[in-house]
Amino acid sequence: MELEKAAYAPYDGPEEFITEWTDRIWVGRGIGLIRENYAADAVVHGAYGTTRGAEQVVRSTLMKINAFPDRVGQAADVVWEPRGPQAFLSSHLVLSAGRHTGPTAYAEPTFREFTSYTIATCLYRLGVMEHEWVVRDEAAVVRQLGLDPAEVARRVAFGAWDEEALRPPARPVLEAGDTGPRPDRHRGECEGVLELVEQVWNQRMLHQVEQYVARDVTSYLPRHRSFVRPDGYQRGLLELLAPMPDARFEVREVVAHEDPARGGVRVALVWWLRGTYCGTPVHGPLTGSPVTVLGSSQFHFRDGRIVAERRVYDEIAVLAQIARARGDEPA
């Protein structure tokens, strides 16, 4: 399946398309260009719910740039694959850096600097974004600004996700994701990642992790934490699951791409984690209430094994759901 140039015009390829459009909007402050870059009925799933249309993206972008006017989003990686001759699905890993000099919904300016990671997974058709999942490591920002994550979580606005986004997939995700059929590329690596999710993440067969990861594997997790070796990979997963020991992961999109300049095959996932806050009480008193987490991961392969995973999800969104179930929101 060859991707037509019209899918990423006027740039030289999908990666340049993604990085240049991001720069034009966020660094060049061409906020109104979002109306050209996003379809009028674009679907955007975030950590706090689903929105539709370009206008909500324009408004939220304007407010975030006002809060962090010198923020620069540097492309750390772009994993992409064609979805038909005129469309591609991309997983864009962004390293953001800036200073908090404007007001946000939960704090006056702190004048502190921050860095954080975002993964935006987008379906573009003929240069227009139709479907997006975007997750940010908001807890990293909150902590670097010197704010209390629990207090911030009590103040954030929480919407609802589109019901269709949470329904069981109609087809195996290797055949088709939520955005439609996908190419049969890098099947071995894709199957390996999905087996890891099912066997190690879902079935809790943590002792099998060495079947999938290299000895020198590194897990990059929210709040700029890194875990090394298979033992570290297990510990990072245990930490995520302990508060919700009944939780399960459901993969909704797979993106695979090989780039020799970056050292091999990369596989990206969009996933939901759903469980109940009934385990380790790290977020305060247990509520037994449901928690839904939208997350994304990028896996880097070398010689058939995973040597790195970058996992991004919003821990403030988790705290916000628990606070709402507990009735902790401010009056």
Side-chain angles (χ1 to χ4, degrees):
M1 180 189 301
E2 292 297 325
L3 189 61
E4 297 176 3
K5 291 183 178 180
Y8 49 79
Y11 301 102
D12 289 338
E15 181 168 349
E16 184 179 342
F17 178 96
I18 292 292
T19 57
E20 291 305 308
W21 263 108
T22 302
D23 230 48
R24 291 173 68 188
I25 293 168
W26 284 94
V27 179
R29 299 183 184 172
I31 300 171
L33 294 173
I34 290 170
R35 299 185 182 97
E36 299 176 26
N37 190 241
Y38 281 62
D41 58 350
V43 178
V44 181
H45 305 298
Y48 303 90
T50 301
T51 62
R52 289 181 177 271
E55 289 308 312
Q56 185 57 46
V57 181
V58 170
R59 296 168 193 167
S60 62
T61 302
L62 185 149
M63 291 186 289
K64 187 169 284 290
I65 290 177
N66 179 63
F68 308 103
D70 66 348
R71 172 192 175 277
V72 173
Q74 183 75 22
D77 202 354
V78 179
V79 183
W80 66 271
E81 68 180 25
R83 291 293 175 96
Q86 297 182 333
F88 65 89
L89 187 66
S90 65
S91 173
H92 183 196
L93 176 64
V94 183
L95 174 60
S96 297
R99 199 158 70 101
H100 179 211
T101 58
T104 68
Y106 45 78
E108 291 299 314
T110 63
F111 302 100
R112 294 192 179 193
E113 297 182 344
F114 76 94
T115 60
S116 67
Y117 281 96
T118 297
I119 296 182
T121 305
C122 301
L123 178 73
Y124 278 93
R125 190 179 312 277
L126 292 174
V128 178
M129 206 285 294
E130 297 181 347
H131 208 128
E132 179 178 24
W133 295 260
V134 58
V135 285
R136 299 179 176 89
D137 183 4
E138 197 67 15
V141 177
V142 167
R143 288 176 179 273
Q144 289 170 82
L145 299 187
L147 305 175
D148 178 1
E151 179 63 26
V152 168
R154 287 192 286 268
R155 296 181 178 277
V156 297
F158 212 103
W161 287 288
D162 190 291
E163 290 184 7
E164 190 170 334
L166 296 171
R167 289 176 186 155
R171 296 169 60 180
V173 72
L174 265 189
E175 295 178 12
D178 287 351
T179 55
R182 61 177 304 275
D184 187 12
R185 295 187 175 186
H186 309 296
R187 175 168 283 270
E189 289 85 354
C190 291
E191 287 179 339
V193 166
L194 294 179
E195 286 177 12
L196 170 71
V197 171
E198 183 55 33
Q199 295 301 314
V200 179
W201 294 14
N202 279 336
Q203 299 301 326
R204 320 303 201 230
M205 305 288 279
L206 273 68
H207 66 290
Q208 294 184 3
V209 71
E210 293 186 24
Q211 296 181 24
Y212 306 98
V213 305
R215 184 200 66 180
D216 296 328
V217 66
T218 304
S219 305
Y220 300 98
L221 303 179
R223 288 183 276 128
H224 297 300
R225 292 168 303 140
S226 299
F227 291 85
V228 299
R229 301 283 176 117
D231 173 72
Y233 193 95
Q234 293 171 334
R235 287 188 285 116
L237 185 61
L238 286 167
E239 180 184 281
L240 172 58
L241 290 172
M244 300 173 285
D246 62 345
R248 282 188 58 84
F249 294 86
E250 182 178 79
V251 178
R252 304 304 296 240
E253 289 286 357
V254 178
V255 189
H257 185 68
E258 183 172 15
D259 184 350
R262 285 197 168 96
V265 175
R266 288 108 69 230
V267 176
L269 304 182
V270 174
W271 45 263
W272 294 103
L273 173 64
R274 287 188 277 181
T276 54
Y277 182 46
C278 63
T280 306
V282 294
H283 307 310
L286 297 175
T287 60
S289 56
V291 176
T292 299
V293 183
L294 175 61
S296 291
S297 295
Q298 289 188 354
F299 299 85
H300 188 175
F301 278 81
R302 188 174 298 129
D303 298 326
R305 287 187 177 268
I306 296 165
V307 294
E309 180 194 351
R310 172 74 64 181
R311 189 183 307 156
V312 178
Y313 55 93
D314 190 331
E315 293 174 313
I316 301 299
V318 174
L319 293 175
Q321 292 175 68
I322 294 170
R324 184 167 62 173
R326 196 184 288 129
D328 285 351
E329 301 99 325

